[in-house]
DNA sequence: TCTGGGACCTGTAGTTACTACAGGTTCAAG
DNA sequence: CTTGAACCTGTAGTAACTACAGGTCCCAGA
């Protein structure tokens, strides 16, 4: 468990990034991370660049980008393309999506809060929450849920 | 295409609810919808109750409940259990989740907006968005993303 | 130097909630 | 009665992992 600062085992990378070992291997399999050098016994050894790249992926994933988008972002970062303009485009489209979801969630929070409030203090057989879900009321609004 | 008001084909149910035909059959397969009566030729025929039940499922899904939770909700609605108390419990737990997601998304929106703004108007080779993703900056914050 | 057991390996299958065929049958309008 | 849209079943694919099973490797302690 004493890997040098420049060569880390997959377990160390996992601990440092908070990304599961299986997920790291998965990212390699789908081509997001390059295949690292191996020990004579076949164990993966990662350097600092790999750590940076993995952090990039994780950060982008946390921001809700799909793996395909992350792939595009990485190839831009790797130097293909005019960078900034394309990146802004990708991020801008993503931002629109995020704003839509945000609206939906806000509406949802209102509905749930309201439901729970009306529910509280009753063991009545006709639960207002179930009722609301069955009858609709304010639950709908934004369409397009195929 | 002239099904009576009480007996609808799966296609009609699909149009009325906005739920895809395949998804309706899927809900039947996983036990969320009861198997409907069939025509002599084997076509499904739905009544108004099935429509109500499907709408319940869709609304609950739209509110972000998992199918397992929907199943639980439906069995409560179907009469097992003390109803209100349990329903409130399920909804309350769900509300916590929703509030968490809401916070995350709000933070995410700020970061993305900021990134896009900094990106705008530059064809510089060092894109600040890519930079931000690589270096971290304000992108993180709420941990626990395994 | 030996050894025990934790960390690592590959490959495959499972997860959630659908979606998309392929290949065949039924229904109803004209 | 024909025709073609809508229906049927069953299987496989999707995203993005996650979880085994059944092995091999590595290294700290005795």
């Amino acid at each position: 468990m004493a890997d040098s600062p420049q060569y880390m085992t997959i377990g160390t990378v996992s601990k440092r990034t908070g990304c599961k070992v299986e997920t790291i291997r998965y990212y390699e399999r789908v081509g997001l991370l390059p295949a690292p050098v191996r020990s004579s016994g076949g164990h993966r050894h990662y350097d600092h660049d790999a750590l940076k790249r993995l952090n990039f992926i994780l950060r982008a994933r946390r921001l809700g980008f799909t793996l395909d988008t992350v792939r595009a972002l990485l190839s831009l970062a790797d130097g293909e393309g005019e960078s900034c303009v394309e990146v802004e485009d990708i991020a801008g489209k993503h931002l629109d999506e995020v704003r839509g979801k945000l609206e939906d969630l806000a509406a949802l929070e209102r509905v749930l809060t309201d439901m729970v409030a009306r529910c509280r203090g009753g063991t009545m057989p006709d639960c207002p929450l179930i009722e609301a879900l069955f009858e609709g009321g304010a639950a709908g609004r934004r369409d397009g849920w195929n």
Side-chain angles (χ1 to χ4, degrees), chain A residues 3 8-38 43-47 49-58 61 67 71 74:
Chain A
D3 29 40
M8 293 166 282
T9 64
I10 198 169
T12 305
V13 172
S14 171
K15 266 165 221 150
R16 298 235 173 136
T17 58
C19 180
K20 290 192 176 158
V21 166
E22 290 90 344
T23 308
I24 298 172
R25 286 196 284 247
Y26 170 74
Y27 286 159
E28 180 185 330
R29 209 162 61 242
V30 299
L32 287 170
L33 287 175
V37 294
R38 301 280 187 131
H43 287 197
R44 289 167 178 84
H45 281 311
Y46 295 93
D47 57 16
D49 278 356
L51 204 70
K52 267 182 71 178
R53 197 178 178 90
L54 178 54
N55 273 324
F56 180 104
I57 296 167
L58 294 173
R61 290 288 300 133
L67 286 189
R71 216 185 306 276
L74 277 170

Coordinates of all heavy atoms in Angstrom, one line a residue, chain A residues 3 8-38 43-47 49-58 61 67 71 74, chain C residues 7-12, chain D residues 16-20:
Chain A
D3 N 2.4 3.1 -2.7 CA 2.7 3.5 -4.0 C 3.3 4.9 -4.0 O 3.0 5.8 -3.2 CB 1.5 3.4 -5.0 CG 0.2 3.6 -4.3 OD1 0.1 4.5 -3.4 OD2 -0.8 2.9 -4.6
M8 N 0.1 5.4 -8.8 CA -0.9 5.0 -7.8 C -1.6 3.8 -8.3 O -1.8 3.6 -9.5 CB -1.9 6.1 -7.7 CG -1.4 7.4 -7.0 SD -2.5 8.7 -7.2 CE -2.2 9.2 -8.9
T9 N -2.0 2.9 -7.4 CA -2.9 1.8 -7.7 C -4.3 2.3 -8.0 O -4.6 3.4 -7.6 CB -2.9 0.8 -6.6 OG1 -3.5 1.4 -5.5 CG2 -1.5 0.3 -6.2
I10 N -5.1 1.4 -8.5 CA -6.5 1.8 -8.8 C -7.2 2.1 -7.5 O -8.1 3.0 -7.5 CB -7.2 0.7 -9.6 CG1 -8.5 1.3 -10.3 CG2 -7.5 -0.5 -8.8 CD1 -9.1 0.4 -11.3
G11 N -6.9 1.4 -6.4 CA -7.5 1.6 -5.1 C -7.2 3.0 -4.6 O -8.1 3.7 -4.0
T12 N -5.9 3.4 -4.8 CA -5.6 4.8 -4.3 C -6.3 5.9 -5.1 O -6.8 6.8 -4.5 CB -4.0 5.0 -4.5 OG1 -3.4 3.9 -3.8 CG2 -3.6 6.3 -3.9
V13 N -6.3 5.7 -6.4 CA -7.1 6.6 -7.3 C -8.5 6.7 -6.8 O -9.1 7.8 -6.7 CB -7.0 6.2 -8.7 CG1 -7.9 7.1 -9.6 CG2 -5.5 6.3 -9.2
S14 N -9.1 5.5 -6.5 CA -10.5 5.4 -6.1 C -10.7 6.3 -4.8 O -11.6 7.1 -4.7 CB -10.8 4.0 -5.8 OG -12.1 3.9 -5.1
K15 N -9.8 6.1 -3.8 CA -9.9 6.9 -2.6 C -9.7 8.4 -2.8 O -10.4 9.2 -2.3 CB -8.8 6.4 -1.6 CG -9.4 5.3 -0.6 CD -8.3 4.5 0.1 CE -8.6 3.1 0.2 NZ -7.4 2.2 0.2
R16 N -8.7 8.7 -3.7 CA -8.5 10.1 -3.9 C -9.6 10.9 -4.6 O -9.7 12.1 -4.5 CB -7.2 10.3 -4.7 CG -6.0 9.7 -4.0 CD -4.9 10.8 -3.8 NE -3.8 10.2 -3.0 CZ -2.5 10.3 -3.2 NH1 -2.1 10.9 -4.3 NH2 -1.7 9.8 -2.4
T17 N -10.3 10.1 -5.5 CA -11.3 10.8 -6.3 C -12.7 10.5 -5.8 O -13.7 11.2 -6.1 CB -11.3 10.3 -7.7 OG1 -11.4 8.9 -7.7 CG2 -9.9 10.6 -8.4
G18 N -12.9 9.5 -5.0 CA -14.2 9.1 -4.5 C -15.0 8.3 -5.6 O -16.2 8.1 -5.5
C19 N -14.2 7.9 -6.6 CA -14.9 7.1 -7.7 C -14.6 5.6 -7.5 O -13.5 5.3 -7.2 CB -14.3 7.6 -9.0 SG -14.9 6.7 -10.5
K20 N -15.6 4.8 -7.6 CA -15.5 3.4 -7.3 C -14.5 2.7 -8.3 O -14.4 3.1 -9.5 CB -16.8 2.7 -7.4 CG -17.7 3.0 -6.2 CD -18.9 2.1 -6.1 CE -19.7 2.5 -4.9 NZ -21.1 2.0 -5.0
V21 N -13.8 1.8 -7.8 CA -12.8 1.0 -8.6 C -13.5 0.5 -9.9 O -12.9 0.6 -11.0 CB -12.2 -0.2 -7.8 CG1 -11.5 -1.2 -8.7 CG2 -11.3 0.4 -6.7
E22 N -14.6 -0.1 -9.8 CA -15.3 -0.7 -10.9 C -15.6 0.4 -12.0 O -15.6 0.2 -13.2 CB -16.6 -1.3 -10.5 CG -16.5 -2.6 -9.7 CD -16.4 -2.4 -8.2 OE1 -16.2 -1.2 -7.8 OE2 -16.6 -3.3 -7.5
T23 N -16.0 1.6 -11.5 CA -16.3 2.7 -12.4 C -15.1 3.2 -13.1 O -15.2 3.5 -14.3 CB -17.0 3.8 -11.5 OG1 -18.0 3.3 -10.8 CG2 -17.5 4.9 -12.5
I24 N -14.0 3.2 -12.4 CA -12.7 3.6 -13.1 C -12.4 2.6 -14.3 O -12.1 3.0 -15.4 CB -11.5 3.6 -12.1 CG1 -11.8 4.6 -11.0 CG2 -10.2 3.9 -12.8 CD1 -10.8 4.6 -9.9
R25 N -12.5 1.3 -13.9 CA -12.3 0.3 -15.0 C -13.3 0.5 -16.1 O -13.0 0.3 -17.3 CB -12.3 -1.1 -14.4 CG -11.1 -1.4 -13.6 CD -10.9 -2.9 -13.3 NE -11.8 -3.4 -12.3 CZ -11.5 -3.8 -11.1 NH1 -10.2 -3.8 -10.7 NH2 -12.3 -4.2 -10.2
Y26 N -14.5 0.8 -15.7 CA -15.6 1.0 -16.7 C -15.3 2.2 -17.6 O -15.4 2.1 -18.9 CB -16.9 1.2 -16.0 CG -18.0 1.7 -16.9 CD1 -18.7 0.8 -17.8 CD2 -18.4 3.0 -16.9 CE1 -19.7 1.3 -18.6 CE2 -19.5 3.5 -17.7 CZ -20.1 2.6 -18.6 OH -21.1 3.0 -19.4
Y27 N -14.8 3.3 -17.1 CA -14.4 4.4 -17.9 C -13.3 4.1 -18.8 O -13.2 4.6 -20.0 CB -14.0 5.6 -17.0 CG -15.2 6.3 -16.3 CD1 -15.0 7.0 -15.1 CD2 -16.5 6.2 -16.8 CE1 -16.1 7.7 -14.5 CE2 -17.6 6.8 -16.2 CZ -17.3 7.5 -15.0 OH -18.4 8.2 -14.4
E28 N -12.4 3.2 -18.4 CA -11.3 2.8 -19.3 C -11.9 2.0 -20.4 O -11.6 2.2 -21.6 CB -10.3 1.9 -18.5 CG -9.2 1.4 -19.4 CD -8.2 0.5 -18.6 OE1 -8.1 0.7 -17.4 OE2 -7.6 -0.4 -19.2
R29 N -12.8 1.1 -20.1 CA -13.4 0.2 -21.1 C -14.2 0.9 -22.2 O -14.2 0.6 -23.3 CB -14.4 -0.8 -20.4 CG -14.5 -2.1 -21.1 CD -15.1 -3.2 -20.2 NE -16.4 -3.0 -19.6 CZ -16.7 -2.9 -18.4 NH1 -15.8 -3.0 -17.4 NH2 -18.0 -2.6 -18.0
V30 N -14.9 2.0 -21.8 CA -15.6 2.8 -22.7 C -14.8 3.9 -23.4 O -15.4 4.8 -24.0 CB -17.0 3.3 -22.1 CG1 -17.8 2.2 -21.7 CG2 -16.7 4.3 -21.0
G31 N -13.5 3.9 -23.1 CA -12.7 4.9 -23.8 C -12.6 6.3 -23.2 O -12.1 7.2 -23.9
L32 N -13.0 6.5 -22.0 CA -12.9 7.8 -21.4 C -11.5 8.0 -20.8 O -11.0 9.1 -20.7 CB -14.0 8.1 -20.4 CG -15.4 8.3 -21.0 CD1 -16.4 8.3 -19.9 CD2 -15.4 9.6 -21.8
L33 N -11.0 7.0 -20.2 CA -9.7 7.0 -19.7 C -8.7 6.1 -20.5 O -9.2 5.0 -20.9 CB -9.7 6.4 -18.2 CG -10.3 7.3 -17.1 CD1 -10.4 6.5 -15.8 CD2 -9.6 8.6 -17.0
P34 N -7.5 6.6 -20.8 CA -6.6 5.7 -21.5 C -6.1 4.5 -20.7 O -6.2 4.6 -19.4 CB -5.4 6.7 -21.8 CG -5.5 7.7 -20.7 CD -6.9 7.8 -20.3
A35 N -5.8 3.5 -21.3 CA -5.3 2.3 -20.6 C -4.0 2.7 -19.9 O -3.1 3.2 -20.6 CB -5.1 1.1 -21.5
P36 N -3.9 2.5 -18.6 CA -2.7 2.9 -17.9 C -1.6 1.8 -18.0 O -1.8 0.7 -18.5 CB -3.1 2.9 -16.4 CG -4.2 1.9 -16.4 CD -4.9 1.9 -17.7
V37 N -0.4 2.2 -17.6 CA 0.7 1.2 -17.6 C 0.3 0.1 -16.6 O -0.5 0.4 -15.7 CB 2.1 1.8 -17.2 CG1 2.5 2.7 -18.3 CG2 2.0 2.5 -15.9
R38 N 0.9 -1.1 -16.7 CA 0.6 -2.1 -15.8 C 1.9 -2.6 -15.1 O 3.0 -2.5 -15.7 CB 0.1 -3.3 -16.6 CG -1.2 -3.1 -17.3 CD -2.4 -3.1 -16.5 NE -3.6 -3.0 -17.2 CZ -4.7 -3.8 -17.1 NH1 -4.6 -4.8 -16.2 NH2 -5.8 -3.6 -17.8
H43 N -1.3 -5.3 -12.6 CA -2.0 -4.3 -11.9 C -1.9 -3.0 -12.6 O -0.8 -2.6 -13.1 CB -1.6 -4.2 -10.4 CG -2.0 -5.4 -9.6 ND1 -2.0 -5.4 -8.2 CD2 -2.5 -6.6 -10.0 CE1 -2.5 -6.5 -7.8 NE2 -2.8 -7.3 -8.8
R44 N -3.0 -2.2 -12.6 CA -2.9 -0.8 -13.2 C -2.1 0.1 -12.3 O -2.3 0.1 -11.1 CB -4.3 -0.3 -13.4 CG -5.1 -1.0 -14.5 CD -6.6 -0.6 -14.4 NE -7.4 -1.2 -15.4 CZ -7.9 -2.4 -15.4 NH1 -7.6 -3.2 -14.4 NH2 -8.6 -2.9 -16.4
H45 N -1.3 1.0 -13.0 CA -0.6 2.0 -12.3 C -0.9 3.4 -13.0 O -0.7 3.5 -14.1 CB 0.9 1.8 -12.3 CG 1.2 0.8 -11.2 ND1 0.8 0.8 -9.9 CD2 2.0 -0.4 -11.3 CE1 1.3 -0.2 -9.3 NE2 2.0 -1.0 -10.1
Y46 N -1.5 4.3 -12.2 CA -1.9 5.6 -12.7 C -0.9 6.7 -12.3 O -0.3 6.7 -11.2 CB -3.3 5.9 -12.2 CG -4.3 5.0 -12.7 CD1 -4.7 3.9 -11.9 CD2 -5.0 5.2 -13.9 CE1 -5.7 3.0 -12.4 CE2 -6.0 4.3 -14.3 CZ -6.3 3.2 -13.6 OH -7.3 2.4 -14.0
D47 N -0.8 7.7 -13.2 CA 0.0 8.9 -12.9 C -0.9 10.1 -12.6 O -2.2 10.0 -12.7 CB 1.0 9.2 -14.0 CG 0.3 9.4 -15.3 OD1 -1.0 9.6 -15.3 OD2 0.9 9.3 -16.4
D49 N -1.6 12.7 -14.4 CA -2.5 13.1 -15.5 C -3.8 12.3 -15.5 O -4.9 12.9 -15.8 CB -1.8 12.8 -16.8 CG -0.8 14.0 -17.1 OD1 -0.8 15.0 -16.4 OD2 -0.1 13.9 -18.1
A50 N -3.7 11.0 -15.2 CA -4.9 10.2 -15.2 C -5.9 10.7 -14.1 O -7.1 10.7 -14.3 CB -4.5 8.7 -14.9
L51 N -5.3 11.1 -13.0 CA -6.1 11.6 -11.9 C -6.8 12.8 -12.3 O -8.0 13.0 -12.0 CB -5.1 11.9 -10.7 CG -5.8 11.9 -9.3 CD1 -6.1 10.5 -8.9 CD2 -4.8 12.5 -8.3
K52 N -6.1 13.7 -13.0 CA -6.7 15.0 -13.4 C -7.9 14.7 -14.4 O -8.9 15.3 -14.3 CB -5.7 15.8 -14.2 CG -5.0 16.8 -13.3 CD -4.0 17.7 -14.1 CE -4.7 18.7 -15.0 NZ -3.7 19.6 -15.7
R53 N -7.6 13.7 -15.3 CA -8.6 13.4 -16.3 C -9.8 12.8 -15.7 O -11.0 13.1 -16.0 CB -8.0 12.4 -17.3 CG -8.8 12.3 -18.6 CD -8.1 11.4 -19.6 NE -8.8 11.2 -20.8 CZ -8.7 12.0 -21.9 NH1 -7.9 13.0 -21.9 NH2 -9.4 11.8 -23.0
L54 N -9.6 11.9 -14.7 CA -10.7 11.3 -14.0 C -11.5 12.4 -13.2 O -12.8 12.4 -13.3 CB -10.2 10.2 -13.0 CG -11.3 9.5 -12.2 CD1 -12.4 9.0 -13.1 CD2 -10.7 8.4 -11.3
N55 N -10.8 13.3 -12.6 CA -11.5 14.4 -11.9 C -12.4 15.2 -12.9 O -13.5 15.6 -12.5 CB -10.5 15.3 -11.2 CG -10.3 14.7 -9.8 OD1 -11.2 14.2 -9.1 ND2 -9.0 14.8 -9.3
F56 N -11.8 15.5 -14.1 CA -12.6 16.2 -15.1 C -13.9 15.4 -15.4 O -15.0 16.0 -15.4 CB -11.7 16.3 -16.4 CG -12.4 17.0 -17.5 CD1 -12.0 18.3 -17.8 CD2 -13.3 16.4 -18.3 CE1 -12.6 19.0 -18.9 CE2 -13.9 17.0 -19.4 CZ -13.5 18.3 -19.7
I57 N -13.8 14.1 -15.6 CA -14.9 13.3 -15.9 C -16.0 13.4 -14.8 O -17.1 13.6 -15.0 CB -14.5 11.9 -16.2 CG1 -13.6 11.8 -17.4 CG2 -15.8 11.0 -16.4 CD1 -12.9 10.4 -17.6
L58 N -15.5 13.2 -13.6 CA -16.4 13.2 -12.4 C -17.1 14.5 -12.3 O -18.3 14.6 -11.9 CB -15.6 12.8 -11.2 CG -15.1 11.4 -11.2 CD1 -14.2 11.2 -9.9 CD2 -16.2 10.4 -11.2
R61 N -19.7 14.9 -14.9 CA -20.8 14.0 -14.6 C -21.7 14.6 -13.5 O -22.9 14.6 -13.6 CB -20.3 12.6 -14.2 CG -19.7 11.8 -15.3 CD -20.7 11.3 -16.3 NE -21.7 10.4 -15.6 CZ -23.0 10.6 -15.8 NH1 -23.5 11.5 -16.6 NH2 -23.8 9.7 -15.2
L67 N -22.1 10.8 -20.6 CA -20.8 10.3 -20.9 C -20.4 10.7 -22.4 O -19.3 11.0 -22.6 CB -20.7 8.8 -20.7 CG -20.6 8.3 -19.3 CD1 -20.3 6.8 -19.2 CD2 -19.6 9.1 -18.5
R71 N -17.2 12.8 -23.4 CA -16.3 12.4 -24.4 C -16.0 13.5 -25.4 O -14.9 13.8 -25.7 CB -16.9 11.2 -25.2 CG -15.9 10.1 -25.6 CD -16.6 9.1 -26.5 NE -17.8 8.5 -25.9 CZ -17.8 7.5 -25.0 NH1 -16.6 6.9 -24.7 NH2 -18.9 7.0 -24.5
L74 N -13.9 16.1 -23.7 CA -12.5 15.7 -23.6 C -11.8 15.8 -24.9 O -10.6 16.2 -24.9 CB -12.5 14.2 -23.1 CG -12.6 14.1 -21.6 CD1 -12.8 12.6 -21.2 CD2 -11.4 14.6 -20.8
Chain C
dA7 P -8.1 -3.9 1.2 OP1 -7.9 -2.5 1.8 OP2 -9.5 -4.4 1.2 O5' -7.5 -3.9 -0.2 C5' -6.1 -3.6 -0.4 C4' -5.7 -3.9 -1.8 O4' -5.7 -5.3 -2.0 C3' -6.6 -3.4 -2.9 O3' -5.8 -2.7 -3.9 C2' -7.3 -4.6 -3.4 C1' -6.2 -5.7 -3.2 N9 -6.7 -7.0 -3.1 C8 -7.8 -7.5 -2.4 N7 -8.0 -8.8 -2.5 C5 -7.1 -9.2 -3.5 C6 -6.9 -10.4 -4.1 N6 -7.6 -11.5 -3.8 N1 -5.9 -10.5 -5.0 C2 -5.2 -9.4 -5.3 N3 -5.3 -8.2 -4.8 C4 -6.3 -8.1 -3.9
dC8 P -6.5 -1.9 -5.1 OP1 -5.6 -0.8 -5.4 OP2 -7.9 -1.6 -4.7 O5' -6.4 -2.9 -6.3 C5' -5.2 -3.3 -6.8 C4' -5.3 -4.5 -7.7 O4' -5.8 -5.6 -6.9 C3' -6.3 -4.4 -8.8 O3' -5.6 -4.0 -10.0 C2' -6.7 -5.9 -9.0 C1' -6.3 -6.6 -7.8 N1 -7.4 -7.4 -7.1 C2 -7.5 -8.7 -7.5 O2 -6.8 -9.2 -8.3 N3 -8.5 -9.4 -6.9 C4 -9.3 -8.9 -6.0 N4 -10.3 -9.6 -5.5 C5 -9.2 -7.5 -5.6 C6 -8.2 -6.8 -6.2
dC9 P -6.5 -3.8 -11.4 OP1 -5.6 -3.1 -12.3 OP2 -7.8 -3.3 -11.0 O5' -6.7 -5.3 -11.9 C5' -5.6 -6.0 -12.5 C4' -6.1 -7.4 -13.0 O4' -6.6 -8.1 -11.8 C3' -7.3 -7.3 -13.9 O3' -6.8 -7.1 -15.2 C2' -7.8 -8.7 -13.7 C1' -7.5 -9.0 -12.3 N1 -8.7 -9.0 -11.4 C2 -9.5 -10.1 -11.2 O2 -9.3 -11.1 -12.0 N3 -10.5 -10.1 -10.4 C4 -10.7 -9.0 -9.6 N4 -11.7 -9.1 -8.7 C5 -9.9 -7.9 -9.7 C6 -8.9 -7.9 -10.6
dT10 P -7.9 -6.6 -16.3 OP1 -7.2 -6.2 -17.5 OP2 -8.8 -5.6 -15.7 O5' -8.8 -7.9 -16.6 C5' -8.1 -9.0 -17.1 C4' -9.1 -10.1 -17.3 O4' -9.7 -10.5 -16.1 C3' -10.2 -9.7 -18.3 O3' -10.3 -10.7 -19.3 C2' -11.5 -9.7 -17.4 C1' -11.1 -10.5 -16.2 N1 -11.7 -10.0 -15.0 C2 -12.6 -10.8 -14.3 O2 -12.9 -12.0 -14.6 N3 -13.1 -10.3 -13.1 C4 -12.8 -9.0 -12.6 O4 -13.3 -8.7 -11.6 C5 -11.9 -8.2 -13.4 C7 -11.6 -6.8 -13.0 C6 -11.4 -8.8 -14.5
dG11 P -11.2 -10.4 -20.6 OP1 -10.6 -11.1 -21.8 OP2 -11.5 -8.9 -20.7 O5' -12.6 -11.1 -20.3 C5' -12.6 -12.4 -19.6 C4' -14.0 -12.7 -19.1 O4' -14.2 -12.1 -17.8 C3' -15.1 -12.1 -20.0 O3' -16.1 -13.1 -20.3 C2' -15.7 -11.0 -19.2 C1' -15.5 -11.5 -17.8 N9 -15.4 -10.4 -16.8 C8 -14.8 -9.2 -17.0 N7 -15.0 -8.4 -15.9 C5 -15.7 -9.1 -15.0 C6 -16.3 -8.8 -13.8 O6 -16.1 -7.8 -13.1 N1 -17.0 -9.9 -13.2 C2 -17.3 -11.1 -13.9 N2 -18.0 -11.9 -13.2 N3 -16.8 -11.4 -15.1 C4 -16.0 -10.4 -15.6
dT12 P -17.2 -12.9 -21.4 OP1 -17.2 -14.0 -22.3 OP2 -17.1 -11.5 -21.9 O5' -18.5 -13.0 -20.5 C5' -18.5 -14.1 -19.5 C4' -19.6 -13.7 -18.4 O4' -19.1 -12.6 -17.6 C3' -20.9 -13.3 -19.1 O3' -21.9 -14.1 -18.5 C2' -21.0 -11.8 -18.7 C1' -20.2 -11.8 -17.4 N1 -19.7 -10.4 -17.0 C2 -20.0 -10.0 -15.7 O2 -20.6 -10.6 -14.9 N3 -19.5 -8.7 -15.4 C4 -18.7 -7.9 -16.3 O4 -18.3 -6.8 -15.9 C5 -18.5 -8.5 -17.6 C7 -17.7 -7.7 -18.6 C6 -19.0 -9.7 -17.9
Chain D
dA16 P -25.0 8.2 -19.9 OP1 -25.5 9.6 -19.5 OP2 -24.0 8.0 -20.9 O5' -24.5 7.5 -18.6 C5' -25.3 7.5 -17.4 C4' -24.9 6.5 -16.4 O4' -25.3 5.2 -16.9 C3' -23.3 6.4 -16.3 O3' -23.0 6.3 -14.9 C2' -23.0 5.0 -16.9 C1' -24.3 4.3 -16.6 N9 -24.5 3.0 -17.2 C8 -23.9 2.5 -18.4 N7 -24.3 1.3 -18.7 C5 -25.2 0.9 -17.7 C6 -25.9 -0.2 -17.4 N6 -25.9 -1.3 -18.2 N1 -26.6 -0.3 -16.3 C2 -26.6 0.8 -15.5 N3 -26.0 2.0 -15.6 C4 -25.3 2.0 -16.7
dC17 P -21.6 6.8 -14.4 OP1 -21.7 7.1 -13.0 OP2 -21.0 7.7 -15.3 O5' -20.8 5.4 -14.6 C5' -20.6 4.5 -13.5 C4' -21.9 3.8 -13.2 O4' -22.3 3.0 -14.3 C3' -21.8 2.9 -12.0 O3' -22.5 3.4 -10.9 C2' -22.3 1.5 -12.4 C1' -23.0 1.8 -13.7 N1 -22.9 0.7 -14.7 C2 -23.6 -0.4 -14.5 O2 -24.4 -0.5 -13.5 N3 -23.5 -1.4 -15.4 C4 -22.7 -1.3 -16.4 N4 -22.6 -2.3 -17.3 C5 -21.9 -0.2 -16.6 C6 -22.0 0.8 -15.7
dT18 P -22.1 3.0 -9.4 OP1 -23.0 3.8 -8.5 OP2 -20.7 3.2 -9.3 O5' -22.5 1.5 -9.2 C5' -23.8 1.1 -9.1 C4' -23.9 -0.4 -8.9 O4' -23.6 -1.0 -10.2 C3' -22.9 -1.0 -7.9 O3' -23.7 -1.7 -7.0 C2' -22.0 -1.9 -8.8 C1' -22.8 -2.2 -10.0 N1 -22.2 -2.5 -11.2 C2 -22.5 -3.7 -11.9 O2 -23.3 -4.5 -11.4 N3 -21.9 -3.9 -13.1 C4 -20.9 -3.1 -13.7 O4 -20.4 -3.3 -14.8 C5 -20.6 -1.8 -13.0 C7 -19.6 -0.9 -13.5 C6 -21.2 -1.7 -11.8
dA19 P -23.0 -2.5 -5.8 OP1 -24.0 -2.4 -4.6 OP2 -21.6 -2.0 -5.6 O5' -23.0 -4.0 -6.3 C5' -24.2 -4.5 -6.9 C4' -23.9 -6.0 -7.2 O4' -23.3 -6.0 -8.5 C3' -23.0 -6.7 -6.3 O3' -23.5 -8.0 -6.1 C2' -21.7 -6.7 -7.0 C1' -22.1 -6.8 -8.4 N9 -21.2 -6.4 -9.5 C8 -20.5 -5.2 -9.4 N7 -19.7 -5.1 -10.5 C5 -20.0 -6.2 -11.3 C6 -19.6 -6.6 -12.6 N6 -18.7 -5.9 -13.3 N1 -20.1 -7.8 -13.0 C2 -20.9 -8.4 -12.3 N3 -21.4 -8.2 -11.1 C4 -20.9 -7.0 -10.7
dC20 P -23.1 -8.8 -4.8 OP1 -23.9 -10.0 -4.8 OP2 -23.1 -7.9 -3.7 O5' -21.6 -9.2 -5.1 C5' -21.1 -10.5 -5.2 C4' -21.6 -11.2 -6.4 O4' -21.4 -10.4 -7.6 C3' -20.7 -12.5 -6.6 O3' -21.6 -13.6 -6.6 C2' -20.1 -12.3 -8.0 C1' -20.7 -11.0 -8.6 N1 -19.6 -10.1 -9.0 C2 -19.1 -10.3 -10.3 O2 -19.4 -11.2 -11.0 N3 -18.1 -9.4 -10.7 C4 -17.7 -8.4 -10.0 N4 -16.8 -7.5 -10.4 C5 -18.3 -8.2 -8.7 C6 -19.2 -9.1 -8.2

